[in-house]
């Protein structure tokens, strides 16, 4: 079983969301997702300043095996992207919940977080895969 | 039913991620495909290739039979142990499989064919055997380990007996020798030096462990694929199959047209195709922009469409490479386009060989 930190929120499409507390969340893909994809070779990130809506395909994680769309788990404005991934896409593999984060979103509506899965909900969603 | 190789336990022990590969449960990686790839390019790595099919062909007509069966000519082989890469075709000139033939004598040969095509290969070989005084014997009692990389031979040397060391000493590329309990060949599927070692099943796990202890990194099918693609080596089922002529699969060099009277299966069709010059060809593609060329993507050229047969990210070159079947008039050095995610992306046409002995083959 992969590691699924209990303090994070999750989307069924394998993104995690960390509430940074000031209306801003950090988004990445789960350890389970990186394990399915295998060694990452490119990560295409959104532009800072872009407005995204929940469910939009906003980024692409391209591994040796496949290219996979990453969806915005919440709506808002992209305020920061992880530029380290430009040179080190493997951070997504080695530290999916930490240094491998993808982008930060300034939330349009904080209540959207409540619609996301908790760790337990995500764990059971990947059991069904 | 899922088959397991004799090394299955060793893979699980090493934490391998196992996948189904044409009915065999095989390791795709032991953690990082990328690290395994680099181990082979820079040091030494090994692959369990026990799923591959070893077939011995023996008998007074063995030579005559193989001269009919495959498109290359085994009559070229006159030094014991010499190996030959070639294809066997159907009457329509389509590739049934690609294989390596080891020559021991005019009455004794060893063939190594793909596991995915095992049943049809054996059926075809037996069907074609009628009228020839030969025996065709599958050898499932052996495991096979490929040890590859610049340090592969040195690391293998640390575990060989004096007798085996002497047997492989100075062996040229593409040879094989029975040395004690091991059949050791200087062949491979990575573009690096190394050996492919055939070992009795009951000794395979011990050999694997000895190699680990000698510092050889276990590598999975993931790395095997990126390595063979960098080396520009075909994968049966992707780069060619029964609907594809060897002329359209960069295998023309494995056809022996001389002597003219040798009537190998498919000759008539292949000779006509060669005369007409109308077969597409397999080229290499290089894309230095972000993104990865993938199998099945459409290639757009001035002289018509083509298709990517195998594509990947090259861990050695740090950009994407592919093999593609394109119209024959496309030339090395041309720029063509690949349709990716609904966009046309420019890529360069190169010879289908990207990395050999750790070095880029691109200009």
């Amino acid at each position: 079983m992969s590691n699924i930190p209990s303090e994070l929120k999750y989307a069924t499409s394998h993104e995690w969301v960390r509430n940074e507390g000031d209306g801003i969340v950090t988004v990445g893909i789960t350890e389970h997702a990186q394990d399915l994809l295998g060694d990452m070779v490119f990560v295409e990130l959104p532009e800072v300043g872009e407005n995204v809506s929940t469910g939009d395909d906003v980024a692409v994680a391209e591994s040796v095996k496949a290219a996979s769309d990453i969806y915005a788990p919440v709506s808002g404005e992209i305020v920061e992207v992880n530029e380290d991934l430009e040179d080190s896409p493997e951070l997504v593999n080695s530290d999916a919940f930490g240094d491998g984060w993808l982008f930060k979103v300034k939330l349009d509506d904080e209540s959207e977080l409540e619609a996301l899965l908790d760790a337990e909900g995500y764990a059971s969603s990947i059991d069904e895969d | 039913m899922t088959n397991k190789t004799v090394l299955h336990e060793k893979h699980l022990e090493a934490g391998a991620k196992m996948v189904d590969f044409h009915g065999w449960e095989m390791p795709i990686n032991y953690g990082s495909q990328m690290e395994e790839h680099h181990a082979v390019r820079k040091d030494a790595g090994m692959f369990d290739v026990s799923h591959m099919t070893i077939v011995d062909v023996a008998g007074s007509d063995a030579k005559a039979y193989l001269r009919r069966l495959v498109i290359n000519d085994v009559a070229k082989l006159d030094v014991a142990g010499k190996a030959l890469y070639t294809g066997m075709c159907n009457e329509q000139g389509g590739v049934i499989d690609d294989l390596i033939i080891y020559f021991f004598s005019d009455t004794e040969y060893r063939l190594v064919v793909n596991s995915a095509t095992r049943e049809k290969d054996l059926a075809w070989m037996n069907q074609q055997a009628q009228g020839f005084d030969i025996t065709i014997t599958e050898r499932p009692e052996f495991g096979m380990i490929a040890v590859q990389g610049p340090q592969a031979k040195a690391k293998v040397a640390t575990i060989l007996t004096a007798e085996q060391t002497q047997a492989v000493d100075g062996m040229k590329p593409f040879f094989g020798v029975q040395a004690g309990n091991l059949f050791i060949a200087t062949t491979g599927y990575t573009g690096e030096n190394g050996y492919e070692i055939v070992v009795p099943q009951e000794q395979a796990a011990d050999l694997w462990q000895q190699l680990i202890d000698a510092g050889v990194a276990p590598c999975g099918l993931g790395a095997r694929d990126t390595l063979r693609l960098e080396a520009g080596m075909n994968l049966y089922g992707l780069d060619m199959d029964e609907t594809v002529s060897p002329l359209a699969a960069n295998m023309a060099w494995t056809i022996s047209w001389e002597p003219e009277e040798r009537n190998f299966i498919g000759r008539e069709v292949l000779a006509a195709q060669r005369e007409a010059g109308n077969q597409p060809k397999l080229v290499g593609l290089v894309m230095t922009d972000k993104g990865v060329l993938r199998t099945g993507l459409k290639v757009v050229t001035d002289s018509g469409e083509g298709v990517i047969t195998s594509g990947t990210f090259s861990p050695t070159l740090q950009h994407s490479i592919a093999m593609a079947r394109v119209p024959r008039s496309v030339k090395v050095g041309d720029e063509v386009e690949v349709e990716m995610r609904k966009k046309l992306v420019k890529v360069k046409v190169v010879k289908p060989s990207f990395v050999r002995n750790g070095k880029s083959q691109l200009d």
Side-chain angles (χ1 to χ4, degrees):
Chain A
M1 195 71 237
S2 334
N3 174 28
I4 305 176
S6 59
E7 71 275 20
L8 304 180
K9 294 283 198 173
Y10 299 90
T12 49
S13 46
H14 307 295
E15 294 83 12
W16 57 260
V17 176
R18 175 183 291 119
N19 190 351
E20 306 293 355
D22 42 6
I24 289 178
V25 296
T26 303
V27 177
I29 64 167
T30 65
E31 192 167 304
H32 175 70
Q34 71 77 23
D35 188 51
L36 288 177
L37 285 167
D39 288 284
M40 218 56 73
V41 293
F42 300 114
V43 182
E44 212 178 294
L45 294 169
E47 299 283 333
V48 171
E50 204 177 309
N51 282 298
V52 301
S53 302
T54 305
D56 287 356
D57 50 348
V58 289
V60 181
E62 186 127 25
S63 71
V64 177
K65 210 155 78 182
S68 183
D69 285 322
I70 293 164
Y71 301 96
V74 291
S75 303
E77 184 192 344
I78 304 289
V79 290
E80 194 179 342
V81 297
N82 185 357
E83 283 167 6
D84 291 344
L85 298 181
E86 176 80 21
D87 292 327
S88 306
E90 69 278 5
L91 289 172
V92 175
N93 297 115
S94 58
D95 194 7
F97 295 115
D99 290 345
W101 66 278
L102 301 179
F103 52 86
K104 295 185 180 179
V105 181
K106 187 168 194 295
L107 293 168
D108 284 346
D109 175 4
E110 289 205 34
S111 71
E112 259 201 279
L113 291 177
E114 289 157 30
L116 294 167
L117 299 170
D118 59 12
E120 202 178 319
Y122 178 64
S124 62
S125 88
I126 59 179
D127 274 349
E128 290 158 15
D129 274 3
Chain B
M1 198 196 85
T2 310
N3 295 301
K4 295 182 170 111
T5 75
V6 67
L7 294 168
H8 190 263
E9 276 300 309
K10 301 300 284 181
H11 302 321
L12 297 185
E13 216 173 87
K17 185 168 179 181
M18 306 298 284
V19 295
D20 177 76
F21 181 76
H22 302 287
W24 290 82
E25 194 177 317
M26 298 298 289
I28 183 83
N29 65 59
Y30 300 79
S32 167
Q33 165 177 352
M34 211 68 93
E35 283 169 25
E36 291 161 23
H37 180 107
H38 292 311
V40 172
R41 285 279 177 251
K42 294 172 182 165
D43 187 10
M46 64 179 162
F47 306 85
D48 177 11
V49 287
S50 305
H51 60 304
M52 293 195 75
T53 309
I54 302 171
V55 186
D56 286 346
V57 174
S60 60
D61 288 338
K63 183 177 179 179
Y65 167 73
L66 291 172
R67 293 191 78 200
R68 165 101 182 120
L69 185 75
V70 302
I71 58 181
N72 215 329
D73 189 357
V74 296
K76 286 184 195 166
L77 302 170
D78 49 10
V79 182
K82 182 67 185 155
L84 186 72
Y85 172 75
T86 187
M88 69 184 167
C89 285
N90 55 30
E91 296 284 0
Q92 293 74 44
V95 183
I96 293 174
D97 201 6
D98 64 337
L99 66 157
I100 288 178
I101 300 176
Y102 296 94
F103 165 79
F104 302 124
S105 75
D106 285 353
T107 57
E108 287 174 292
Y109 296 85
R110 170 164 289 175
L111 280 52
V112 179
V113 304
N114 282 300
S115 65
T117 49
R118 172 183 167 274
E119 280 175 36
K120 70 162 187 174
D121 287 1
L122 288 167
W124 177 256
M125 288 174 66
N126 281 307
Q127 189 189 327
Q128 298 305 322
Q130 285 187 18
F132 290 99
D133 176 25
I134 54 159
T135 56
I136 296 172
T137 313
E138 201 188 345
R139 304 299 298 271
E141 71 274 30
F142 291 114
M144 184 151 47
I145 301 172
V147 190
Q148 304 274 299
Q151 296 303 317
K153 287 183 176 179
K155 288 187 173 177
V156 171
T158 64
I159 62 167
L160 295 181
T161 64
E163 173 214 15
Q164 287 166 334
T165 303
Q166 198 180 4
V168 299
D169 186 38
M171 191 157 67
K172 289 183 191 146
F174 243 67
F175 269 87
V177 65
Q178 188 67 42
N181 55 337
L182 304 177
F183 176 73
I184 306 176
T186 43
T187 48
Y189 196 46
T190 62
E192 296 296 327
N193 278 320
Y195 296 123
E196 290 181 304
I197 304 174
V198 176
V199 54
Q201 279 201 333
E202 62 279 9
Q203 297 167 16
D206 283 347
L207 176 61
W208 184 266
Q209 188 58 48
Q210 283 181 306
L211 288 164
I212 288 180
D213 296 342
V216 179
C219 302
L221 292 178
R224 188 165 164 82
D225 192 52
T226 50
L227 288 159
R228 70 94 193 166
L229 229 169
E230 283 186 352
M233 294 172 172
N234 289 2
L235 174 59
Y236 191 82
L238 282 184
D239 302 309
M240 74 294 200
D241 58 33
E242 283 185 35
T243 67
V244 174
S245 163
L247 299 175
N250 197 28
M251 289 175 69
W253 64 278
T254 77
I255 305 174
S256 232
W257 297 104
E258 301 291 331
E260 263 178 57
E261 58 275 19
R262 184 175 71 96
N263 182 30
F264 61 85
I265 301 167
R267 174 161 197 146
E268 217 171 297
V269 175
L270 296 178
Q273 288 174 348
R274 182 193 190 205
E275 181 71 27
N278 60 359
Q279 284 294 306
K281 66 177 177 184
L282 198 65
V283 296
L285 299 180
V286 167
M287 181 175 76
T288 46
D289 292 345
K290 260 195 180 184
V292 182
L293 302 167
R294 309 270 182 194
T295 301
L297 293 181
K298 192 201 289 180
V299 182
V300 180
T301 82
D302 290 342
S303 31
E305 284 183 4
V307 66
I308 290 181
T309 55
S310 298
T312 193
F313 176 80
S314 159
T316 306
L317 302 172
Q318 290 290 307
H319 56 68
S320 187
I321 58 171
M323 293 206 264
R325 187 164 295 114
V326 296
R328 183 147 294 265
S329 54
V330 172
K331 298 275 178 294
V332 166
D334 284 0
E335 199 175 68
V336 298
E337 290 178 313
V338 174
E339 195 178 302
M340 294 177 73
R341 301 183 148 248
K342 294 174 193 147
K343 279 184 293 188
L344 286 173
V345 180
K346 287 184 166 54
V347 300
K348 199 177 153 203
V349 178
V350 299
K351 284 186 198 162
S353 171
F354 306 92
V355 180
R356 284 288 166 117
N357 296 314
K359 292 192 181 64
S360 171
Q361 302 297 292
L362 306 174
D363 302 330

